[in-house]
Amino acid sequence: MTQKLSTSPQADATSTDRRGCGARGMRCYGPLAALLVALAAAPGVPAPIGTAMANHLDRVQLHRNSNRGVPYLPLARHGQSAGASKLSMRVIRKIQLDGDPLQNVYSNVRPIDIDGDGDFEFVQYNGYRFMQVWSGSGQKLWRVSTGGRLHNYKAGTHRDTVAILDLDGDGKQDIAHCWTQGGRKILVYRRGRDGKVIHSRVLNNDEGQECQIAAFRLADTRNTLILVSHRLTSKPSCSGGNYIDTWAQTVAFDRQQRQVWSTRTCDAGHYAYPLDANYDGYAEGIFVGKYLLRANGSVKCKLLSWPAADHVDSLAVADLDTSRRGVEVVAVGQSGLAMFDPDSCRQIWRISTSVVRNPQHVAVAKLDPASSAPLLIVEEKGTVNRGKTFIINGKGKILDRQLTVAMPMQNANIDGARGVDEHVGSFGTITDRKGNVRLGRSWYWGLKGTRVRETFRGPYPTSYDRWQPFPLVFDFDRDGRDDIVTWGQSLLVVGKKK
């Protein structure tokens, strides 16, 4: 059921600054990048690698929950060089962190442009306990803090999400996030340049609950909506559990923080993903787990073979089967692994749970230089004995299976060679189609900062306590290749392929 609460959302084009930047939510990167963006937007022209296209940044700023997979973008090109079998990295930036070492490593980080100059700063936050912004050179620009909740250390990989976008129309980026005030959980739109509150409102949730936020630009309305997961307050309750983590109720807000609609999405899944079939940065729909929502919040369809009392763990959208028209949708979870048609949510194929046991994570990457189609990388849940990772094509055929090296995360262009994508998994591990490691974690694992004394008192002293598992992967220095940003107890580092 969708409850419509606002009937006339305002136009939502990003404001243009003195250089003519900001159109359609894009960033300012000079005339060459602007030309590449224009070419990418032209009908029938594939998006070039490493441009300043809005959706390249969207998957690290607007809608990112890397533990549940990062949206696929078509980066590699058929017939071009596949690059070297092994990659090496050099550190191009170090930021000395301060404060509590475990709060640092269990924090989350997002890139942000607080002054509209095209250079990135970093937002660091941990639950509702603190939020602060670091300059690209390592200076702390501002900090706010409360006595609120921290991310759950024992959960290891779980982090609250935020959205980074221009919320007040000044051409500079801001932060949409959850916070606490007077024992109540609130939604805050916070100014990026100084941390001042733009808007705030009470959320209908307990103060101690996690925060799941995702923002999308919608093709139908050209408006941006900020979605916030809620527990369901109406009856009947959700049969599989009434949890924020699985988006029991999806509530949409505009950039003025007006509530636009609220939709019952019982047992949906662990996050929300754009259905952007032409990769222009405007979504034709939003998959909130197994539900495909329209811009007005109504449910277009639900993945038809997915049980009502089960949720989707991860989901991916891509043109995986080139013999079919358009993109397909693949969902994984306790119920299994299946591909669906997004026009109708009808199942195309399914792989039995006797073959892939309790699939938990899925990513898409072009890993075969001889094929134009990307492949699925699907990992069994970590609790499965001798869990495996499967390489699967768009027809549902298993091409390879290996003991899991890393949790699948996203495709990227790390080395500039366009024949294949880099598949980046947990801890920044890059693997090829056969599961061979092209890049490990040794380039950063032994680094330490000088302001914080590191500790072994956490629950995972040799893994998640040392460095967080899901680095940011994006073009930090705007040279056309993706970089890797990761952080630990005492240091944030940016790495670039040598």
Side-chain angles (χ1 to χ4, degrees):
M1 179 181 67
T2 301
Q3 180 184 2
K4 191 71 175 292
L5 296 175
S6 175
T7 57
S8 57
Q10 301 297 308
D12 193 42
T14 303
S15 296
T16 302
D17 69 12
R18 63 185 183 275
R19 296 165 293 172
C21 305
R24 298 180 64 186
M26 296 182 184
R27 299 271 301 273
C28 308
Y29 291 103
L32 175 59
L35 173 62
L36 292 173
V37 172
L39 289 172
V45 178
I49 297 174
T51 72
M53 285 178 53
N55 52 2
H56 280 248
L57 286 173
D58 288 355
R59 64 180 189 167
V60 293
Q61 290 187 318
L62 293 187
H63 37 259
R64 172 187 163 85
N65 184 341
S66 50
N67 182 33
R68 300 302 170 184
V70 176
Y72 168 77
L73 289 177
L75 302 177
R77 296 291 177 264
H78 181 54
Q80 299 197 27
S81 169
S85 60
K86 296 289 185 180
L87 302 176
S88 57
M89 300 288 282
R90 59 188 175 91
V91 175
I92 62 170
R93 196 67 53 89
K94 291 182 182 180
I95 293 178
Q96 300 276 350
L97 302 179
D98 57 13
D100 183 277
L102 290 182
Q103 290 184 24
N104 283 334
V105 72
Y106 284 98
S107 67
N108 221 341
V109 171
R110 293 289 184 274
I112 187 172
D113 182 3
I114 66 168
D115 49 16
D117 66 353
D119 292 328
F120 290 107
E121 292 79 30
F122 293 105
V123 177
Q124 180 194 11
Y125 65 96
N126 192 320
Y128 317 156
R129 182 65 58 89
F130 72 85
M131 176 172 284
Q132 56 196 17
V133 166
W134 299 92
S135 73
S137 61
Q139 178 185 1
K140 187 187 294 184
L141 302 179
W142 57 260
R143 175 185 172 97
V144 291
S145 60
T146 70
R149 65 180 289 275
L150 292 166
H151 295 148
N152 185 347
Y153 296 174
K154 289 186 178 180
T157 61
H158 291 249
R159 306 287 191 275
D160 290 359
T161 61
V162 300
I164 306 297
L165 68 163
D166 181 5
L167 290 166
D168 57 9
D170 66 355
K172 303 169 185 178
Q173 292 191 323
D174 309 301
I175 310 149
H177 68 101
C178 297
W179 204 237
T180 184
Q181 180 176 292
R184 297 180 298 179
K185 182 180 181 181
I186 60 174
L187 174 64
V188 171
Y189 291 178
R190 192 178 298 279
R191 205 160 60 191
R193 68 177 184 268
D194 56 14
K196 301 297 184 183
V197 173
I198 303 168
H199 298 290
S200 68
R201 63 179 294 160
V202 174
L203 294 173
N204 190 20
N205 293 100
D206 294 336
E207 185 270 338
Q209 296 291 319
E210 67 181 289
C211 182
Q212 291 296 320
I213 288 178
F216 302 90
R217 285 186 298 274
L218 283 306
D220 287 353
T221 61
R222 284 308 200 250
N223 291 341
T224 298
L225 292 180
I226 294 97
L227 307 189
V228 182
S229 177
H230 285 58
R231 293 192 299 175
L232 190 67
T233 56
S234 60
K235 300 294 184 179
S237 61
C238 298
S239 57
N242 188 3
Y243 304 117
I244 291 172
D245 187 39
T246 50
W247 290 70
Q249 183 173 352
T250 302
V251 183
F253 300 91
D254 65 14
R255 293 197 309 164
Q256 288 72 44
Q257 213 172 82
R258 295 172 296 203
Q259 185 171 323
V260 181
W261 48 257
S262 177
T263 300
R264 180 188 179 97
T265 48
C266 274
D267 313 305
H270 284 300
Y271 203 54
Y273 306 82
L275 174 60
D276 182 2
N278 60 359
Y279 302 101
D280 68 347
Y282 287 84
E284 295 84 44
I286 303 167
F287 273 101
V288 179
K290 62 191 175 189
Y291 299 89
L292 178 56
L293 303 187
R294 298 183 178 93
N296 65 3
S298 63
V299 178
K300 177 181 178 181
C301 59
K302 182 172 68 170
L303 301 182
L304 290 177
S305 62
W306 210 268
D310 188 30
H311 61 265
V312 168
D313 284 317
S314 299
L315 183 145
V317 179
D319 184 5
L320 292 154
D321 184 351
T322 54
S323 69
R324 293 176 49 86
R325 182 176 178 272
V327 298
E328 294 82 35
V329 180
V330 172
V332 303
Q334 189 172 11
S335 298
L337 157 64
M339 176 183 277
F340 299 87
D341 182 343
D343 289 334
S344 63
C345 290
R346 293 189 180 278
Q347 181 179 300
I348 300 170
W349 52 254
R350 176 177 287 271
I351 296 177
S352 168
T353 53
S354 65
V355 178
V356 181
R357 304 160 295 171
N358 197 359
Q360 183 76 9
H361 297 94
V362 59
V364 175
K366 184 183 179 304
L367 298 177
D368 185 354
S371 172
S372 61
L375 299 173
L376 293 160
I377 306 102
V378 178
E379 176 234 12
E380 294 176 321
K381 193 169 184 177
T383 55
V384 171
N385 183 39
R386 291 179 61 80
K388 293 183 175 62
T389 295
F390 296 79
I391 307 299
I392 303 168
N393 70 13
K395 300 288 189 182
K397 180 182 179 181
I398 296 174
L399 304 178
D400 207 345
R401 65 191 79 195
Q402 314 113 14
L403 288 176
T404 295
V405 174
M407 288 176 266
M409 198 176 119
Q410 69 173 90
N411 73 318
N413 171 36
I414 299 291
D415 63 357
R418 300 187 179 192
V420 297
D421 291 328
E422 278 70 63
H423 165 235
V424 184
S426 53
F427 293 107
T429 304
I430 296 177
T431 52
D432 65 14
R433 183 189 172 286
K434 294 292 185 180
N436 300 310
V437 175
R438 298 181 65 197
L439 177 69
R441 60 189 188 183
S442 61
W443 64 273
Y444 68 85
W445 195 260
L447 300 177
K448 291 183 180 181
T450 58
R451 294 182 184 174
V452 173
R453 183 175 182 179
E454 298 201 356
T455 179
F456 287 91
R457 59 180 169 85
Y460 306 104
T462 61
S463 58
Y464 302 131
D465 293 352
R466 308 257 55 81
W467 290 85
Q468 63 79 41
F470 300 114
L472 296 167
V473 182
F474 71 105
D475 188 2
F476 170 76
D477 60 3
R478 307 179 312 281
D479 72 341
R481 295 181 298 166
D482 288 320
D483 308 304
I484 297 178
V485 179
T486 192
W487 55 98
Q489 293 190 17
S490 62
L491 202 63
L492 180 149
V493 297
V494 181
K496 171 167 283 303
K497 189 257 180 186
K498 289 183 179 177

